[in-house]
Each structure stands twice: as structure tokens, then as C-alpha cells.
Amino acid sequence: MFLSPSSNRSLLSGGDFSRTVRVMDSSDKNMYFILVENLPYPSERYRAGHLCYIEESRYVSKIKNTETLEYLPVKCFSTSVERGVKVAAIQSLTEQEAELLQALGEDGERIRAFREREKLDHALTLKKDCQVKVEVDGEWCQGVIRYIGAITERKYPDPIAGSYFGIELQGKDKGKGTCDGQYLGKRHFTCGKDCGVFASFTRVQPMATKPQDPPKAQQAPPRDMKEPLTAGDRVTFFMDNDRSRNGMVMALEQKENRTFVHISPDIDEKGDNGEPISIPLDYVIREDMLSPGATSVLSPDGVDPRPWLSGDGEEGIHLSLDSVVEVDLSPGRTVYGTVRWIGNLPGMEGTRVGLELEEDVGVSDGTFKGQRLFSCDPKKGLFVKLVSCRPDSRFQTPREKEGPLSASNRHPEKDRALSRVDCGTVAPLSSEEALQRLVGKMRGIQGHCNSCYMDSALFSLFSCSSVLDSLLFKSTKQRDAPIQTTLLQDIVNPLRRDGFVPSRNVMNLRQQLQKGGHSDHTFTTEEKDPEEFLSLIMHRILSLEPLLKLSTGEKIQEGYCYQIFLDQNHSLVLPTVQQLLEHSFQSAGLRLAEIPSCLILQMPRFGKKFKMFSKIIPSLELDITDLLSESPQECILCGQLASVECTDCFRDPAFGNTGFKQFCSICSKQVHAHPQRRSHKPSAVRLPEGYPPAGSPCAPPREKLQLFAVLCIETSHYVAFVRHGPGSRDWIFFDSMADRQGDQNGFNIPTVWACPEVGRYLEMPLAELATQVPREMEGVAKRLFCDAYMYLYQSPSMALYR
């Protein structure tokens, strides 16, 4: 973007964040700015949110002597080196704003505060002796401002120091502070012991304004947050038999914390309009979402078997089964769900979509007028117009949010503004995007100070998979919300959007984990294990529902990772992951109580240094059908439904080393007629209620998980392999400390390599693979086969529900 000096010295003019440079007093020596874009190489360490400045006289000279100004020579804070920065990449600040923002310390937090503006604008109005609320350890306390300004000396060569609010706590909140008005031995105001606190502006709110809680994960608004309908609205409502009728809203009424709608029904097909009725809001939808029509093209079984094509008026809407979407039931009332059916409904025109909602605010269980179109829990099914759906905004980038469903509303200036905004979420990288955005030096997550365990775990989970994206959005405790925000905005989004996360972002997360009391003082300095970090994040902080539920026959055990253990009698030499998991479950008498959306497996080891096997063969698909409790099983000989399972046959070499040994009654008799197997004691296989009896030709469905990442360790250093596509050769290799620039004061160079050579070994016959000498294996393949520490699998179907 170019700039003309005749434009009233306006520095920026594009996008929603346009602001005009303020005229400085003669006493001002510098003009201050904030980066709104990450700077390119070789200045990539300066990210959006970093402050910079230029001497006022130099700025005026540039304006006067340059007809069009594209670059401005500024100095970034923490350095005295001048660098040319695009005018489009900065926004102007007053000195007071710069001082307030400098107190935040982290670029990510700073840019969010600048863009949201509300708290910054409030802070600019605050004066001494103003009554305020201040956040102290997650609690809002009453207080009075006694001091505004710096509490530390400015750091050379920065021209200013951060400005803080010194607050004396009042009333019932006395004694909840951290000081008596002193900071680092210097007194800024006087108050009682533990009655003072110094806080940045993001933790301070005027008393007249209701304080905002620290940011939480995005969630749907409460059902009755707003009155969604008004008198006179045309609506469609559903009766107990799923029969829909139309009518007009007469009034809304609150009863027992629920909203009821009084409706005057239209005349029905029998010519009777009936009496006015009152039904819960949950069973009412605006008529413009379910307008009546006259066509019906249902297939005999209620499901349209043809590939879905957009109809008239629906051009550009690209949804398919299992798409995640959102629907506005009314202003302020958005619901989220998964597409389970697409077709036409009797008596309704246009293409309809059957949704399975995340919340029980629907009207059915997947049936429509007595005909089942899909299955879901009661009150989680909803049928709406196709044009009423749009892609789930929680999983969209800003451009995608403006995508096919609203292409007519696109605007070039808005596009440019959005391109400079930190988006709420960024989708995982596709195979092509992963190769373009991740491969190379200074790619991935930059390691620092024994962080490789965390770097590799985060890269594996979030670069090309969304299976645990629920961590980024679920509701969490107020005091832990900043950790979730850092994980999303400073690590996951930059990784997917830019292909690079600087080490300071990960260190910020480590410091937050340590300061929050979730870990000991060594968390920012010493070596840890990936499972320790994952358990901390998923269980203790974000309280994610356990990924793994194991059945021992009598009780259910829950966890997040599964450590594979083998007894001493195993006969495995060159095992696959499938064999290791089956042998571990068999020896421990375990079964999966339910299909996991994500299965994290730790390989058998004698500590981190001693491997039980010199090579482990990755299983690209993990068949868990036989590992499910109370699940129909297939006879391994004839393929019919099995009735018994024999744990003694599991170790019989005649049957091979893979798969549990289940038989139908006929095959079991034949197998156990052998003299060496007469002492075996088969046990009955429990079938789900209502399933066809054992011995029937009904083959049970196979449940399979897909491998998406492998963490490896060698000499206490973790690296990661990530599968970026469906092919056996679609692999990338990540090392957060692959190289280093400089010595003690230098930095690590994270690197990502494409490694298709891995696929060549995965495609080899097992006998040929066994003869491969590890040190002679091509590229980094040896690391995958010989150093595997943790395998990560995902369920393509269950990941949609978790």
C-alpha cells in the first residue's frame, strides 16, 4: 500500500483497524507504532504485537520528502537497529497507549488487546483515586487506583517502560493483594500489608463496567440468552409425533426457567385450526427455515442414495455427509451439528439437511413423520433447509468464513483487512499445504531449553490433525483460560497459518503452566516426557473427557495414554504395533469399553534408554474390532459370527501372532477336538442386545483407527513423524533443534523434511524388512522403525463426536 503526504498525514487507510496518526505535542520525541503483521525474513522474530518507534523529526522529514511512502524506517523494541517496515504492517499509538501495551510483555497478548480495544480505551480514561475492579488470582476485587506509571526502569535501548496501575484493595477484598505499595523495594504508594497490587490494564475494569472474565473457549450462547421470537412471527412447531404444523406467535412466557411460546395454529389438512397452544421454545423454529412446499423425492428407505448436487438457489453451497455446520435458529441463538442426511422431505420444497446437534435442542432422534432417515440421541436431530447451513465457524479461517456460502458479500478492502487479523481458528494443514508451508529450515516449532518433548507433541497433534481441537474450544476454569488462549493463538494458529512457532511462544506456555501451580519449578528448564505434558494439559488443566476407557470385565478404567506392557512369555521378534497392542491387552485381560477418538500408545521399553525391540513395524491402520468389549466378533476360520473366544489359542503358533482367536460353535468344536487343545477353556463372547444370534452369516463391521503421528526418542531427544496424507509415502519429519545458530546466546533452527522414503520400507514384505540394517536405511527411516516412543492414532468417525 502506498501513502501520499497530501492525505492529511494519514498513516494507514485500509481495513477495519484504520486509525489516523495523532498530532504529537512538541515535547514528544518519538512516534510509536504496533506491528499488525509478522515481519518477513530476516526479521521474522518480530511478530504482530511487537512495538516499534521512530523519532518524530525523522518521521516528519520522511513525510515531507517522500511523495508516496511505502516503507517507514523504525526501531523495534529490544533493539537499536533500524529496519524498513511496510506502512501496511503497522498502526500508530500514542505514547500513553504504547506504555500500557508494553506492560503486557507478550506480543500475542498485546495484539489481541490492541485489536479488541475496549479495555485499552477504558484504561486511557482511568485516573488516580478512580474506583475499579482488579483481577487477582482469577477473582475480581474492589479497589482504588493510587498510582499509574512504570514500576521498573526501562530496558535499554527501549525508549519507554510499561505502565501499570497500582491499586489499593478495599472492603472485603483487603488482604488479598501482594504488596503494601512497594515493588522491588521502591515505594509507589502506601497501603496496608497485602492490600496493594500492581496490574496491567487488561486486569483492570472501571467500577461502573461489569468486569469481563478472562477469555474462555468459544461456545454456543445459552439457550434463553435472548428472546428469539416476537409476537407476530411466523413459525413451524413440532408435536410429540414429529408432526409439524405452522402458526403465528401470540406471546412468549417464562415458566420454571424455560421459555414457552403461545401459538395460534394455521388451518390443517382437515380444515381445523384448533385452539391456541403453548409449547416449549425448543420445539419451535422460524417458518423461513422450514417453509412448506409440494415436492417429495424420498427413496424407498428414506435415504437418497445418489450423490448430492446443489439445486436451484443453492449454487456454491458445498456440504456433504459428516460436514460440521452451524445454523442460526434465531438472532443470538446459534447451534452446531454434523450433517447426517441430505435429500428432500415430503411436503417441503428444496434440499433439506438432517443434522445431529451437539446440544439437545433438536426435535427428533433422526426420524421425520415416523420415517427414520438417520439415528441420533433424542432431541439432537433437526431437519433444516440446506441454505440455512453454513460451515462451522469454529473451524474456519477468516477467508473460509466468507467462502462459498457468502461469496456475494466479498469485498476487496475487507479481504485485505482480514488478512492482517489473527483469526480465531486455523484449520489443520492439508497434504499439499503441509509440504508447501512446513518443509524447510526455521519451520515447525522452535526448540529452546529442553523443550523438544513439548515441541514434538504439539507438532504431532495439531499440524495436520484436528482430532484434539476440542482442547482449544471447550469451556475451562477462569484461571486456566489464558493457557488455552496461548495454546490456540500463540502455538496452534501460527503453526497452521505460518508454518512456524518461535521458541518464546512455547516458553510462555511453559511459564504459564509453572506459574499456575500445575507443575514444579523445573517445567521451564528441565527435560520431561510427552505423556507428562499431555496428561497435564488434557486432564489437570482443560479437563478433557478421558480419551481411553478400558474394561476389565468388572469396572471401567479411564486415561489419556496407554503404556504397552508385555509378559515374559511373548514370542514376538519383529512386531507390528497391532501385535503389541493385542498381546498387551490379552495378557492384562483388558478390552476397550468404547471406540476412542484418539488412541495414544507408548511403546514397551525398559526406561527411555533401553528398547525392548530393535525394530517396531508401524501399523498404518489399527484394527480394534477384536479389542472392543461386548462387540460382535468374527470367526477367524469361517467368517460367521463368533460365539466363543479362546485365550489359550491366542498363543498357539498354528494360528499366527495377530488377532484374538474367536470361533463359531462349529469351528470351536473342530479346533478343540485336537488332543493338544482339549484342555483349552473357551469363554462365551457377549453380543450387544438385539444383535443376530451367534453363528449367523452377518459379518460384524470392522473398526479401524488411522495412524497420524509417531514420536521418537534417541539419547533423550524427541523428534516427530507426521503423516500428512493417506498414502504410505505421505510423511514429514520434524526436529525442533535440528541445527543451531551461535553458541550460548544463539538460537535453535527447527527443521521439517519431507521423507517419502519411509513409505518404501512400509511397503516391503516383512521378511525383506527384517533384513534391513538400520544404519543403512535411507534418509530418516531408521528413526521411525528403531526409535519409536509413542504412536498416535485417530478414529475418522469418532473424532466427529469428541
Side-chain angles (χ1 to χ4, degrees), residues 2 22 64 181 356 503 654:
F2 293 90
R22 295 165 176 79
K64 288 181 178 179
E356 181 178 5
S503 59

Side-chain angles (χ1 to χ4, degrees), residues 697-713:
C698 180
R702 308 302 296 181
E703 294 291 346
K704 296 182 179 181
L705 306 183
Q706 295 178 351
L707 177 65
F708 70 94
V710 182
L711 271 68
C712 302
I713 185 173

Side-chain angles (χ1 to χ4, degrees), residues 146 168 180-181 187-192:
R146 300 300 187 196
E168 180 182 1
D180 62 353
R187 182 167 298 282
H188 299 283
F189 65 96
T190 301
C191 66

Side-chain angles (χ1 to χ4, degrees), residues 38 218 392-401 418-419 421-430 433 437-438 461-470 472-473 487-500:
N38 301 330
Q218 181 176 351
D392 192 327
S393 60
R394 299 172 299 177
F395 300 93
Q396 300 291 312
T397 65
R399 284 190 186 277
E400 288 169 330
K401 290 179 183 179
L418 284 172
S419 70
V421 181
D422 273 346
C423 51
T425 60
V426 181
L429 298 175
S430 66
E433 290 172 334
R437 202 169 300 172
L438 290 177
L461 286 174
F462 295 112
S463 58
C464 299
S465 172
S466 62
V467 67
L468 287 184
D469 274 16
S470 56
L472 309 173
F473 309 108
L487 184 60
L488 171 63
Q489 298 292 355
D490 294 346
I491 296 177
V492 177
N493 280 356
L495 176 62
R496 294 172 174 176
R497 182 185 61 238
D498 308 323
F500 176 71

Side-chain angles (χ1 to χ4, degrees), residues 147-174:
Y147 172 79
I148 303 175
I151 57 177
T152 61
E153 296 296 326
R154 67 179 181 89
K155 297 179 180 179
Y156 178 81
D158 298 347
I160 57 173
S163 181
Y164 294 80
F165 291 89
I167 298 171
E168 180 182 1
L169 301 182
Q170 303 286 304
K172 62 181 179 62
D173 295 318
K174 286 185 176 180

Side-chain angles (χ1 to χ4, degrees), residues 294-324:
T295 59
S296 174
V297 290
L298 273 178
S299 57
D301 60 357
V303 180
D304 188 352
R306 302 166 298 171
W308 173 73
L309 299 175
S310 296
D312 292 340
E314 295 159 353
E315 293 85 1
I317 302 176
H318 304 290
L319 296 179
S320 60
L321 294 181
D322 298 331
S323 292
V324 286

Side-chain angles (χ1 to χ4, degrees), residues 606-761:
F606 300 108
K608 286 189 292 184
K609 296 183 179 180
F610 303 101
K611 297 176 287 189
M612 185 174 290
F613 299 98
S614 59
K615 288 193 197 121
I616 294 176
I617 311 302
S619 299
L620 297 184
E621 280 192 333
L622 201 62
D623 191 334
I624 61 169
T625 310
D626 296 344
L627 305 181
L628 293 168
S629 65
E630 299 188 18
S631 174
Q633 309 293 345
E634 187 177 283
C635 176
I636 64 171
L637 297 180
C638 69
Q640 292 191 359
L641 201 61
S643 59
V644 298
E645 177 184 335
C646 184
T647 56
D648 297 308
C649 288
F650 181 82
R651 300 182 182 281
D652 194 323
F655 295 108
N657 280 321
T658 302
F660 284 7
K661 306 306 180 285
Q662 294 107 358
F663 309 97
C664 65
S665 56
I666 296 176
C667 292
S668 178
K669 289 180 181 178
Q670 294 175 344
V671 167
H672 293 101
H674 193 283
Q676 293 183 356
R677 303 191 190 100
R678 290 174 182 171
S679 61
H680 291 187
K681 298 179 180 179
S683 58
V685 173
R686 297 181 62 180
L687 295 176
E689 185 176 350
Y691 205 83
S696 68
C698 180
R702 308 302 296 181
E703 294 291 346
K704 296 182 179 181
L705 306 183
Q706 295 178 351
L707 177 65
F708 70 94
V710 182
L711 271 68
C712 302
I713 185 173
E714 184 180 37
T715 60
S716 299
H717 180 63
Y718 290 96
V719 294
F721 287 85
V722 170
R723 194 177 178 192
H724 60 82
S728 61
R729 299 185 178 228
D730 295 336
W731 289 90
I732 52 177
F733 174 72
F734 165 66
D735 186 345
S736 65
M737 304 178 184
D739 201 355
R740 186 168 179 84
Q741 178 72 40
D743 296 322
Q744 184 174 356
N745 297 321
F747 56 89
N748 291 309
I749 300 176
T751 305
V752 180
W753 294 266
C755 49
E757 69 273 9
V758 166
R760 185 169 71 85
Y761 295 97

